[in-house]
Amino acid sequence: MARVDLQEFQRAVLHSSGLPVRVLGPGRHRFRRRRSVLAVVDLRPALLKVAGQEVLTADGLGVRASVVVRYSVTDPLRWVLAGDSETSAVQWLYLAAQLAVRDFIGGVSAEDLLATRSSAAEVVTPRVRDAAERIGAVVEAVDLRDVSFPGDLRRTFALVVVARQEALASLERARGEVATLRSLANAARALEGNPALRELRSVLAVERTSGTVVLNVATPEGTSAPSA
């Protein structure tokens, strides 16, 4: 007889010759080693890393992308029975994530991939989740981690970003110049035909610059004399 001790986060699927398949819960169990096959399943959340694979975008550019699948097993029996002598349940989940990412990247252009990368999980996760449910697992999320573009394309994207920033800076400078000209035009209209306002403006200018201004002040005899 063999013995197995299962933790709270573990379950075991026991195949015994001539007996139905059983799922063993936490605790200590005995089984016949020669007549039985025991598969221990961990129910804790796990990460499945899908290595970088080269995928063609909709416009024919090759990029490398890797993803991480966050999942946990919910049905140990279905999880174990999903595998066979060649492919395990984890490998089925791996394949489902690969195909979902390929379909997503293959449906967008390289430029759109940069813009939609952060929202890729919203498209990819439901497909992988459906496949996981069929093999006794639940997928929390599929995160698109690393996306590598060819060197020439990365340089092109960098030049595009620089050009956009320069255009925005030029636009802001033009807006500032227009605002300044509009302010000067309003001031000119206010000063036109209003000598008192012009003299007041001159006095304010003197106060700011500590300079001297000469004003024409009318004398009682009708003549004007300079006044500082």
Side-chain angles (χ1 to χ4, degrees), residues 11 13 23 41-43 72-82 89 132-138:
R11 300 292 185 273
V13 178
V23 178
V41 180
D42 196 322
L43 304 183
S72 58
V73 177
T74 55
D75 189 336
L77 180 59
R78 188 183 300 179
W79 178 260
V80 172
L81 295 181
E133 289 179 355
R134 291 193 292 270
I135 58 176
V138 59

Side-chain angles (χ1 to χ4, degrees), residues 190-204:
L191 292 174
E192 185 178 359
N194 194 335
L197 187 57
R198 286 199 299 270
E199 292 177 0
L200 179 59
R201 183 176 182 274
S202 300
V203 172
L204 292 176

Side-chain angles (χ1 to χ4, degrees), residues 7 12 50 55 89 100 102-103 108 118 123-125 135 143-144 152 157 161 164 166 168 184 193 200 204 216:
Q7 303 297 324
V50 180
V55 185
R102 282 182 175 272
D103 290 344
V108 297
S118 59
V123 180
V124 177
T125 299
I135 58 176
D143 300 320
L144 185 61
D152 293 341
F157 284 151
V161 172
R164 287 176 178 173
E166 290 178 348
L168 289 175
L184 291 174
L200 179 59
L204 292 176
N216 291 326

Side-chain angles (χ1 to χ4, degrees), residues 1-2 14 31 35 44 72-73 80 82 84 99 114-115 117 127 140 143 152 156 172 174 181 190 194 217 226-227:
M1 296 290 288
L14 180 63
F31 62 97
R35 293 185 175 184
R44 291 175 295 182
S72 58
V73 177
V80 172
D84 52 33
L99 295 177
L114 284 177
R117 176 182 173 181
R127 289 194 53 182
E140 180 182 350
D143 300 320
D152 293 341
T156 300
E172 289 300 321
L181 292 175
N194 194 335
V217 181
S227 174

Side-chain angles (χ1 to χ4, degrees), residues 131-188:
E133 289 179 355
R134 291 193 292 270
I135 58 176
V138 59
V139 170
E140 180 182 350
V142 180
D143 300 320
L144 185 61
R145 290 292 179 88
D146 300 322
V147 178
S148 301
F149 293 89
D152 293 341
L153 188 59
R154 288 199 300 269
R155 287 190 290 271
T156 300
F157 284 151
L159 292 175
V160 170
V161 172
V162 171
R164 287 176 178 173
Q165 294 301 320
E166 290 178 348
L168 289 175
S170 298
L171 180 60
E172 289 300 321
R173 285 194 296 269
R175 288 175 177 172
E177 292 174 358
V178 170
T180 300
L181 292 175
R182 185 181 294 112
S183 178
L184 291 174
N186 293 336

